[in-house]
Amino acid sequence: MQATEAQRAVAAAMSIASSLGLPVDDAIVLNDSNKLALRLLPCDVLARVAPAAEQVAQFEIELAQRLTEAGSPMAALERRVEPRVYERDDFVVTLWTYYEPVTPEVVSPADYAHVLERLHAGMRKVDVPTPHFTDRVEDAQQLLASRDHTPALADADRELLSTTLRRLRRAIEERRPAEQLLHGEPHPGNLLNTKNGLLFIDLETCCRGPVEFDLAHAPEEVSEHYPGIDQDLLRECRILMLAMVTTWRWDRGDQLPNGRQLGTEWLGQIRAALGHSHS
């Protein structure tokens, strides 16, 4: 977030928490991208703040409640307040349990695979309408089709990304893999190592698709410990996912630190992966 917007977001979160009777006199920024994650003190609550215009917070709250009830390894909502979306000053705020990180924070690939498998098992018990993973591919394709939104992207790179997304999406759909509810982005940044064990956070990218699409976001070694994986499908999902996240880095409004640099590195990785998969 821009600095002035972030200041307003922090003020909105503190003010909502105070109005709910939680003691707040400080906020520590834990993560700042399209959303702000704050640790509010002394009440020790995790507040997640997003601009009201671009949020799916209500969906995330309902899903988190149902998954926690099903015993899934998900971070829980803050129990001292009503589990809902709070709005103030054009921001939406959701309040979650704050978990003290455990050191060392490194998670073994086997543990990572096991917790993701448990999450997927819990998600199979929950029936909610969610987007399909191809909707996210579609979003990336539309970004590439609009030079206004991705003005800095070179023609050859635009063509590479467009072709990769189109070809891999079709290849994955033609396999007709089994599909289920997915986390959508279960990368290491969305996995907490806590005293309560490993817990996933951030359900706003939930979608339906093959479990290989979720595994494509985890470190490569993790898939070796996840049973029943289709390795060819996983490889296609990995390149597809890389093409999507690379596309987002070239979005004019992208706020990821070093986003453009990563986007350039990932273009090289995509070229290498495609060269490898054609051989």
Side-chain angles (χ1 to χ4, degrees), residues 137-174:
V137 181
E138 182 68 36
D139 290 345
Q141 287 174 307
Q142 286 181 353
L143 262 184
L144 291 170
S146 161
R147 288 177 190 275
D148 283 352
H149 285 102
T150 49
L153 191 57
D155 287 350
D157 296 336
R158 189 182 302 277
E159 179 60 31
L160 170 76
L161 290 169
S162 297
T163 308
T164 303
L165 289 171
R166 189 172 60 246
R167 205 169 57 79
L168 287 173
R169 172 184 177 169
R170 193 168 59 232
I172 292 166
E173 287 178 322
E174 282 170 0

Short mmCIF file of all heavy atoms in Angstrom, two decimals, residues 137-174:
data_model
loop_
_atom_site.label_atom_id
_atom_site.label_comp_id
_atom_site.label_asym_id
_atom_site.label_seq_id
_atom_site.Cartn_x
_atom_site.Cartn_y
_atom_site.Cartn_z
N VAL A 137 -6.53 -17.89 -14.47
CA VAL A 137 -5.75 -17.89 -15.71
C VAL A 137 -6.34 -16.85 -16.65
O VAL A 137 -5.62 -16.07 -17.28
CB VAL A 137 -5.77 -19.29 -16.37
CG1 VAL A 137 -4.94 -19.30 -17.65
CG2 VAL A 137 -5.27 -20.36 -15.40
N GLU A 138 -7.67 -16.84 -16.71
CA GLU A 138 -8.38 -15.88 -17.56
C GLU A 138 -8.03 -14.43 -17.18
O GLU A 138 -7.79 -13.58 -18.04
CB GLU A 138 -9.89 -16.12 -17.40
CG GLU A 138 -10.78 -15.25 -18.24
CD GLU A 138 -10.67 -15.56 -19.73
OE1 GLU A 138 -10.51 -16.75 -20.09
OE2 GLU A 138 -10.73 -14.59 -20.52
N ASP A 139 -7.99 -14.16 -15.86
CA ASP A 139 -7.62 -12.81 -15.39
C ASP A 139 -6.23 -12.42 -15.91
O ASP A 139 -6.02 -11.29 -16.35
CB ASP A 139 -7.60 -12.75 -13.85
CG ASP A 139 -9.01 -12.83 -13.26
OD1 ASP A 139 -9.98 -12.65 -14.02
OD2 ASP A 139 -9.12 -13.10 -12.05
N ALA A 140 -5.30 -13.37 -15.84
CA ALA A 140 -3.93 -13.09 -16.31
C ALA A 140 -3.94 -12.86 -17.83
O ALA A 140 -3.25 -11.96 -18.33
CB ALA A 140 -3.01 -14.25 -15.95
N GLN A 141 -4.73 -13.65 -18.55
CA GLN A 141 -4.79 -13.49 -20.01
C GLN A 141 -5.35 -12.11 -20.38
O GLN A 141 -4.89 -11.48 -21.34
CB GLN A 141 -5.64 -14.61 -20.63
CG GLN A 141 -4.91 -15.96 -20.61
CD GLN A 141 -5.78 -17.12 -21.07
OE1 GLN A 141 -6.87 -17.33 -20.57
NE2 GLN A 141 -5.29 -17.89 -22.03
N GLN A 142 -6.32 -11.64 -19.61
CA GLN A 142 -6.89 -10.31 -19.89
C GLN A 142 -5.87 -9.21 -19.62
O GLN A 142 -5.83 -8.22 -20.34
CB GLN A 142 -8.17 -10.10 -19.07
CG GLN A 142 -9.32 -10.93 -19.63
CD GLN A 142 -10.62 -10.73 -18.87
OE1 GLN A 142 -10.66 -10.08 -17.84
NE2 GLN A 142 -11.68 -11.31 -19.38
N LEU A 143 -5.07 -9.39 -18.57
CA LEU A 143 -4.00 -8.41 -18.30
C LEU A 143 -3.03 -8.32 -19.47
O LEU A 143 -2.62 -7.24 -19.88
CB LEU A 143 -3.21 -8.83 -17.05
CG LEU A 143 -3.54 -8.19 -15.72
CD1 LEU A 143 -2.55 -8.71 -14.67
CD2 LEU A 143 -3.49 -6.68 -15.77
N LEU A 144 -2.68 -9.48 -20.02
CA LEU A 144 -1.75 -9.52 -21.14
C LEU A 144 -2.36 -8.90 -22.39
O LEU A 144 -1.67 -8.30 -23.21
CB LEU A 144 -1.33 -10.97 -21.44
CG LEU A 144 -0.46 -11.62 -20.37
CD1 LEU A 144 -0.33 -13.11 -20.63
CD2 LEU A 144 0.91 -10.96 -20.29
N ALA A 145 -3.67 -9.05 -22.53
CA ALA A 145 -4.35 -8.52 -23.71
C ALA A 145 -4.45 -6.99 -23.65
O ALA A 145 -4.70 -6.33 -24.65
CB ALA A 145 -5.74 -9.14 -23.84
N SER A 146 -4.27 -6.42 -22.45
CA SER A 146 -4.41 -4.97 -22.29
C SER A 146 -3.04 -4.31 -22.09
O SER A 146 -2.45 -4.39 -21.02
CB SER A 146 -5.30 -4.67 -21.07
OG SER A 146 -5.09 -3.35 -20.64
N ARG A 147 -2.58 -3.65 -23.14
CA ARG A 147 -1.30 -2.94 -23.03
C ARG A 147 -1.38 -1.79 -22.03
O ARG A 147 -0.38 -1.41 -21.44
CB ARG A 147 -0.87 -2.40 -24.40
CG ARG A 147 -0.42 -3.51 -25.31
CD ARG A 147 -0.05 -2.99 -26.69
NE ARG A 147 0.15 -4.13 -27.59
CZ ARG A 147 1.28 -4.79 -27.71
NH1 ARG A 147 2.35 -4.43 -27.03
NH2 ARG A 147 1.39 -5.82 -28.54
N ASP A 148 -2.58 -1.26 -21.84
CA ASP A 148 -2.76 -0.18 -20.85
C ASP A 148 -2.38 -0.66 -19.45
O ASP A 148 -1.81 0.09 -18.67
CB ASP A 148 -4.22 0.29 -20.82
CG ASP A 148 -4.55 1.17 -22.02
OD1 ASP A 148 -3.61 1.51 -22.76
OD2 ASP A 148 -5.74 1.49 -22.21
N HIS A 149 -2.74 -1.90 -19.15
CA HIS A 149 -2.48 -2.43 -17.80
C HIS A 149 -1.07 -2.99 -17.66
O HIS A 149 -0.56 -3.09 -16.54
CB HIS A 149 -3.50 -3.51 -17.46
CG HIS A 149 -4.85 -2.95 -17.12
ND1 HIS A 149 -5.91 -2.96 -18.00
CD2 HIS A 149 -5.29 -2.33 -16.00
CE1 HIS A 149 -6.94 -2.36 -17.44
NE2 HIS A 149 -6.61 -1.97 -16.23
N THR A 150 -0.45 -3.39 -18.79
CA THR A 150 0.90 -3.98 -18.72
C THR A 150 1.81 -3.28 -19.74
O THR A 150 2.35 -3.93 -20.64
CB THR A 150 0.83 -5.50 -19.03
OG1 THR A 150 0.05 -5.69 -20.24
CG2 THR A 150 0.18 -6.27 -17.90
N PRO A 151 1.97 -1.94 -19.60
CA PRO A 151 2.67 -1.18 -20.63
C PRO A 151 4.15 -1.51 -20.77
O PRO A 151 4.72 -1.36 -21.85
CB PRO A 151 2.47 0.28 -20.20
CG PRO A 151 2.20 0.22 -18.73
CD PRO A 151 1.49 -1.07 -18.50
N ALA A 152 4.80 -1.98 -19.70
CA ALA A 152 6.25 -2.17 -19.74
C ALA A 152 6.67 -3.54 -20.29
O ALA A 152 7.85 -3.83 -20.42
CB ALA A 152 6.84 -1.98 -18.34
N LEU A 153 5.68 -4.38 -20.60
CA LEU A 153 6.00 -5.74 -21.03
C LEU A 153 6.37 -5.76 -22.51
O LEU A 153 5.60 -5.30 -23.36
CB LEU A 153 4.78 -6.64 -20.76
CG LEU A 153 4.97 -8.15 -20.88
CD1 LEU A 153 6.07 -8.65 -19.96
CD2 LEU A 153 3.65 -8.86 -20.56
N ALA A 154 7.54 -6.31 -22.81
CA ALA A 154 8.01 -6.39 -24.22
C ALA A 154 7.12 -7.34 -25.02
O ALA A 154 6.57 -8.30 -24.46
CB ALA A 154 9.46 -6.87 -24.24
N ASP A 155 7.00 -7.08 -26.33
CA ASP A 155 6.11 -7.89 -27.18
C ASP A 155 6.44 -9.37 -27.13
O ASP A 155 5.55 -10.22 -27.04
CB ASP A 155 6.19 -7.40 -28.64
CG ASP A 155 5.48 -6.06 -28.82
OD1 ASP A 155 4.79 -5.64 -27.87
OD2 ASP A 155 5.61 -5.45 -29.89
N ALA A 156 7.75 -9.70 -27.18
CA ALA A 156 8.14 -11.12 -27.19
C ALA A 156 7.74 -11.79 -25.87
O ALA A 156 7.30 -12.95 -25.85
CB ALA A 156 9.64 -11.24 -27.40
N ASP A 157 7.88 -11.06 -24.76
CA ASP A 157 7.51 -11.61 -23.45
C ASP A 157 5.99 -11.74 -23.32
O ASP A 157 5.49 -12.72 -22.76
CB ASP A 157 8.06 -10.71 -22.33
CG ASP A 157 9.59 -10.68 -22.31
OD1 ASP A 157 10.19 -11.65 -22.82
OD2 ASP A 157 10.17 -9.69 -21.82
N ARG A 158 5.28 -10.77 -23.86
CA ARG A 158 3.80 -10.81 -23.83
C ARG A 158 3.32 -12.05 -24.61
O ARG A 158 2.45 -12.78 -24.15
CB ARG A 158 3.26 -9.53 -24.47
CG ARG A 158 1.74 -9.34 -24.31
CD ARG A 158 1.27 -8.07 -25.03
NE ARG A 158 1.95 -6.87 -24.55
CZ ARG A 158 1.59 -6.18 -23.46
NH1 ARG A 158 0.54 -6.56 -22.76
NH2 ARG A 158 2.26 -5.10 -23.09
N GLU A 159 3.96 -12.26 -25.76
CA GLU A 159 3.59 -13.41 -26.61
C GLU A 159 3.91 -14.73 -25.89
O GLU A 159 3.11 -15.66 -25.88
CB GLU A 159 4.36 -13.31 -27.94
CG GLU A 159 4.10 -14.44 -28.91
CD GLU A 159 2.63 -14.56 -29.31
OE1 GLU A 159 1.92 -13.52 -29.36
OE2 GLU A 159 2.18 -15.69 -29.57
N LEU A 160 5.09 -14.77 -25.26
CA LEU A 160 5.49 -15.98 -24.52
C LEU A 160 4.47 -16.30 -23.42
O LEU A 160 4.02 -17.45 -23.29
CB LEU A 160 6.88 -15.77 -23.88
CG LEU A 160 7.32 -16.86 -22.89
CD1 LEU A 160 7.76 -18.12 -23.62
CD2 LEU A 160 8.44 -16.37 -21.98
N LEU A 161 4.11 -15.30 -22.63
CA LEU A 161 3.19 -15.53 -21.52
C LEU A 161 1.81 -15.92 -22.03
O LEU A 161 1.18 -16.85 -21.51
CB LEU A 161 3.12 -14.28 -20.63
CG LEU A 161 4.39 -13.98 -19.82
CD1 LEU A 161 4.33 -12.59 -19.19
CD2 LEU A 161 4.60 -15.03 -18.73
N SER A 162 1.32 -15.21 -23.06
CA SER A 162 -0.03 -15.50 -23.60
C SER A 162 -0.09 -16.94 -24.12
O SER A 162 -1.03 -17.68 -23.81
CB SER A 162 -0.37 -14.56 -24.75
OG SER A 162 -0.42 -13.23 -24.29
N THR A 163 0.92 -17.31 -24.89
CA THR A 163 0.95 -18.66 -25.48
C THR A 163 1.04 -19.72 -24.39
O THR A 163 0.36 -20.74 -24.43
CB THR A 163 2.16 -18.79 -26.43
OG1 THR A 163 2.13 -17.70 -27.34
CG2 THR A 163 2.12 -20.09 -27.21
N THR A 164 1.90 -19.47 -23.40
CA THR A 164 2.09 -20.44 -22.31
C THR A 164 0.79 -20.65 -21.54
O THR A 164 0.38 -21.79 -21.27
CB THR A 164 3.20 -19.94 -21.34
OG1 THR A 164 4.40 -19.75 -22.10
CG2 THR A 164 3.47 -20.95 -20.24
N LEU A 165 0.11 -19.55 -21.19
CA LEU A 165 -1.14 -19.66 -20.45
C LEU A 165 -2.18 -20.43 -21.26
O LEU A 165 -2.86 -21.32 -20.75
CB LEU A 165 -1.68 -18.26 -20.09
CG LEU A 165 -0.89 -17.51 -19.02
CD1 LEU A 165 -1.36 -16.06 -18.92
CD2 LEU A 165 -1.01 -18.18 -17.65
N ARG A 166 -2.30 -20.07 -22.55
CA ARG A 166 -3.33 -20.69 -23.38
C ARG A 166 -3.05 -22.18 -23.57
O ARG A 166 -3.92 -23.02 -23.39
CB ARG A 166 -3.36 -19.98 -24.74
CG ARG A 166 -4.54 -20.37 -25.63
CD ARG A 166 -4.62 -19.48 -26.87
NE ARG A 166 -3.41 -19.58 -27.69
CZ ARG A 166 -2.56 -18.57 -27.90
NH1 ARG A 166 -2.76 -17.39 -27.33
NH2 ARG A 166 -1.49 -18.73 -28.67
N ARG A 167 -1.80 -22.51 -23.88
CA ARG A 167 -1.43 -23.89 -24.19
C ARG A 167 -1.55 -24.79 -22.96
O ARG A 167 -2.10 -25.90 -23.02
CB ARG A 167 0.01 -23.91 -24.71
CG ARG A 167 0.35 -25.08 -25.59
CD ARG A 167 1.69 -24.87 -26.28
NE ARG A 167 2.79 -24.64 -25.33
CZ ARG A 167 3.40 -25.59 -24.65
NH1 ARG A 167 3.02 -26.85 -24.77
NH2 ARG A 167 4.39 -25.30 -23.85
N LEU A 168 -1.06 -24.30 -21.81
CA LEU A 168 -1.06 -25.14 -20.61
C LEU A 168 -2.46 -25.27 -20.02
O LEU A 168 -2.84 -26.33 -19.52
CB LEU A 168 -0.08 -24.61 -19.58
CG LEU A 168 1.38 -24.87 -19.97
CD1 LEU A 168 2.33 -24.18 -19.01
CD2 LEU A 168 1.67 -26.36 -19.99
N ARG A 169 -3.23 -24.21 -20.11
CA ARG A 169 -4.61 -24.30 -19.63
C ARG A 169 -5.34 -25.39 -20.41
O ARG A 169 -6.04 -26.23 -19.84
CB ARG A 169 -5.30 -22.95 -19.81
CG ARG A 169 -6.78 -22.98 -19.52
CD ARG A 169 -7.40 -21.63 -19.82
NE ARG A 169 -8.83 -21.65 -19.62
CZ ARG A 169 -9.58 -20.56 -19.60
NH1 ARG A 169 -9.04 -19.39 -19.75
NH2 ARG A 169 -10.87 -20.66 -19.41
N ARG A 170 -5.16 -25.39 -21.74
CA ARG A 170 -5.84 -26.39 -22.58
C ARG A 170 -5.32 -27.79 -22.24
O ARG A 170 -6.10 -28.73 -22.10
CB ARG A 170 -5.64 -26.05 -24.06
CG ARG A 170 -6.57 -26.84 -24.98
CD ARG A 170 -6.56 -26.31 -26.40
NE ARG A 170 -5.21 -26.35 -26.97
CZ ARG A 170 -4.61 -25.31 -27.53
NH1 ARG A 170 -5.22 -24.13 -27.60
NH2 ARG A 170 -3.38 -25.42 -28.05
N ALA A 171 -4.00 -27.92 -22.10
CA ALA A 171 -3.41 -29.24 -21.80
C ALA A 171 -3.95 -29.81 -20.49
O ALA A 171 -4.28 -31.00 -20.39
CB ALA A 171 -1.89 -29.12 -21.74
N ILE A 172 -4.06 -28.93 -19.49
CA ILE A 172 -4.56 -29.38 -18.16
C ILE A 172 -6.03 -29.77 -18.26
O ILE A 172 -6.46 -30.80 -17.74
CB ILE A 172 -4.32 -28.29 -17.10
CG1 ILE A 172 -2.81 -28.13 -16.84
CG2 ILE A 172 -5.04 -28.64 -15.80
CD1 ILE A 172 -2.43 -26.86 -16.07
N GLU A 173 -6.82 -28.95 -18.95
CA GLU A 173 -8.26 -29.25 -19.08
C GLU A 173 -8.47 -30.56 -19.84
O GLU A 173 -9.36 -31.33 -19.51
CB GLU A 173 -8.97 -28.10 -19.79
CG GLU A 173 -9.13 -26.87 -18.91
CD GLU A 173 -9.79 -25.68 -19.61
OE1 GLU A 173 -9.53 -25.44 -20.80
OE2 GLU A 173 -10.57 -24.99 -18.94
N GLU A 174 -7.61 -30.82 -20.86
CA GLU A 174 -7.78 -32.05 -21.65
C GLU A 174 -7.48 -33.30 -20.84
O GLU A 174 -7.95 -34.39 -21.16
CB GLU A 174 -6.89 -31.99 -22.90
CG GLU A 174 -7.49 -31.10 -23.98
CD GLU A 174 -6.53 -30.83 -25.14
OE1 GLU A 174 -5.37 -31.34 -25.11
OE2 GLU A 174 -6.93 -30.10 -26.07
#
